[in-house]
Amino acid sequence: MAKSDDGIRILQGLLVFGNVVIGMCGIALTAECIFFVSDPHGLYPLLEATENDDIYAAAWIGIFVGFALFALSILGIVGVIKSNRTLLLVYIILMLITYAFEMASCITAATHRDFITPNLFLKQMLERYQKTETDNNNDIRMTERVTDTWDKLMLQNQCCGVRGPSDWQEYTSAFRSTHSDADFPWPRNCCVLDARGSPVNLDGCKLGVQGYYNSNGCYDAISGPMNTHAWGVAWFGFAILCWTFCVLLGTMFYWSRIEY
Amino acid sequence: RPHSCPRHPGARTMLPLLLLLLATAHGLNTIRYTPTLASSSLGGLITASTFTLEQPRCVFSEDPGNPVIWLVVAVPEAVPTFNDSVEPGSPERAFQRFPGSAPAYMTLNTTLLNYPCPKRPGDITVLRVGSETSCTKDGTRPTCNGPLPGPGPYRVKFISLNGSVPVEQTAWSEPITLRTAQPLSDIPAMGSGHSAGMITLTSILSILFAILLAGLVAMLVFWGSDTYGGSSTFSKPEAVTVRRYNTHHVYDQPAARL
C-alpha cells in the first residue's frame, strides 16, 4: 500500500509539473501569436491580396488556445491535488477540445506555408502594383495597400521586384500599361534614393548601373518573416501538443485510479 | 582563225576596286569598327523599347572640318540599299516615320569632342538609344532619340558628316533584338505540392489525437462500469466521520456501507 501510495504521489507530482509547463507554454504561445498577428514587417496586405491569409487565422486561433491552455493547466493542477474526479473529467474534456483547435491551427499554418512561392507574389505584384483601372472600392483599397507595401518594402530592403528588376521587363503588368518602358524600365523605388526620396542618379538607374539601382529581388525579405511566422505557429504548437498528449494520458490514468 | 579574247586576269577584282574608288571619290571612308552593345553588367542593357551601345571612342579620326557624328538605326532590310547621302532630318530619315515610311532614322548627333580619346578608365561610356520620350510624336523633331516602336531586330552604324557630305562610317552592327514581355497570365500561380514537414506534422498530430480520444472513451466506459475499486486504487484523505450508535433503539441500525 505504501509503495503504491508513493507511486501515486510521484504521478501527482509529475502531473502538476506537466501542467505547470503547459501553462507556461500557453502563455508563450499567446505572446508569440500576438507578435505575429501584429505584423511587425507590414507584409499582411500582400497576403491579403492573394486571398491566402490563413496563416494569420492560425495565429489568431493560437492566441486563444494559449489562454485556454493556461487556464486549463490551473484547473488541472487543482484537480490533481484535490484528486477530484469531476474536476479532472472536466479538465480532460476541455483539454481535448483545446487540443483539437490547436491541431487545426498547426495544420493550417503548415499547409498554407506551402503556398508561399515566388510566383504567388510575382503575379500579385504585376497585377496590382500601381494599377489604375480598379473595379470597386474593395479593389481600390487592396491596390493601394499592395502598392504602399511594395514601395516600403523596396525602400527599406533595397530590393526590386520579386526575383529582381528583370521581373518588370519579362512580364506585362499594370505598371507597364501606365508607365512607358523607356522612362520607367522599373519603378522609381527600385532606384537608390537619397534622403529626400529622389533618385541619386536617374540615368544610372534607368541604365541599370550597379550602385544606382537595386538589383536583387525582394523575395527573401518577404518569405523570411512569413516562414518564421508559419513555422513558429506550426512547430511550437506541435511541441506543445506532444507534451500535452503525455500529460493527458497521465491524467487519464490518474483519474482511473482515484477511488470513487 | 577566230580566237576568243582571253579575259583579263584581274577582271574579277576590277568591280570591287571600282566601287572602292567610287566610295573614296565621295570621300566616305569605312572604318573597321562594328558598333556593339555596352557591357552586359548593365541591368537595362536591352529593354522592350531601348538598347544601349558603347560609345565609339578612339574610332573616328580627327578632321579639320569638325564633322558631326550621327547614329543610324535601320531595319535589317534597309541595310543593303542604304543611301549615305540622304540628309538627317529629312522625311526619309525622320524618327516619327520609322519604320513605316522611313526604313532608317538618324539621331544622337554630336561632335568628336564628346567622344574624347583615350577613354578614362572607370568611366561608363554608353549611348542609350530610345531615352527621349518627349519628342516621340513631335514631327518637328525628326532626329528624336525616341523609344523604338517594336522588338526589332535593328542594325546600327555611326556615320560622320561634314555638313551634308559623309566623311567616315563604321560597319553595320549585328542585328539587335529587343525584349518582348510575356503576358502575366503565363505565370503559374499554384504552388508546389505539400512539403514533407507538413505531412509529418499532420499525421503525427492526428494519431496522437486519435489515441487521446480512445483514452477518453475507455475512461468513460470504465466510469460507466465502475463497480470495484481494485487493489491499486487509493483512498482520498477524508475527514473522519463519527457514526452515532443509538444503543437504546433496536430499530435504528446504521445503514450498510461499503
Side-chain angles (χ1 to χ4, degrees), chain A residues 1 4-5 8 82-83 85 89 92-93 96 99-100 103 106-107 110-111 114-115 117 119-120 122-123 126-127 166 169-174 180-183 185-186 206-210 213 231 234-235 238 241-242 244-245 248-249 252 254-260, chain B residues 41-50 52 124 126 128 130-131 133 147 179-195 197-198 200-202 204-209 211-213 215-216 219-220 222-223 226 229 231-236 238:
Chain A
M1 223 32 199
S4 120
D5 235 2
I8 291 300
K82 288 204 166 188
S83 301
R85 265 197 161 185
L89 187 63
I92 288 173
I93 292 179
L96 280 178
Y99 194 98
M103 220 172 81
C106 291
I107 293 177
T111 312
D114 288 341
F115 290 155
T117 53
N119 279 343
L120 182 70
L122 180 65
K123 200 153 185 175
L126 294 173
E127 269 174 15
S166 55
Q169 289 292 314
E170 274 175 48
Y171 296 100
T172 59
S173 54
S180 74
D181 170 79
D183 277 333
W186 29 75
K206 288 191 209 170
L207 271 174
V209 179
Q210 281 295 337
Y213 84 134
W231 287 144
W235 290 104
F238 178 75
L241 288 181
C242 287
T244 309
F245 170 78
L248 277 179
L249 274 187
M252 286 180 187
Y254 182 78
W255 183 91
S256 65
R257 293 280 169 256
I258 299 176
E259 193 191 69
Y260 185 72
Chain B
S41 66
L42 291 177
L45 184 68
I46 299 186
T47 70
S49 59
T50 69
T52 307
I124 301 172
V126 295
R128 189 161 180 248
S131 57
T133 47
R179 289 204 195 214
T180 319
Q182 284 178 282
L184 76 92
S185 48
D186 280 359
I187 304 174
M190 281 323 289
S192 51
H194 297 295
S195 65
M198 175 258 164
T200 316
L201 190 142
T202 310
I204 292 181
L205 284 183
S206 312
I207 293 173
L208 295 185
F209 191 56
I211 296 176
L212 284 179
L213 280 179
L216 178 69
M219 248 174 61
L220 293 176
F222 184 81
W223 189 29
D226 192 14
S231 62
S232 55
T233 54
F234 62 97
S235 34
K236 294 186 284 186
E238 273 184 65

Side-chain angles (χ1 to χ4, degrees), chain B residues 50-65:
Chain B
T50 69
F51 60 93
T52 307
L53 295 168
E54 250 336 304
Q55 284 182 2
R57 295 282 182 108
C58 310
V59 166
F60 290 93
S61 43
E62 292 281 350
D63 190 299

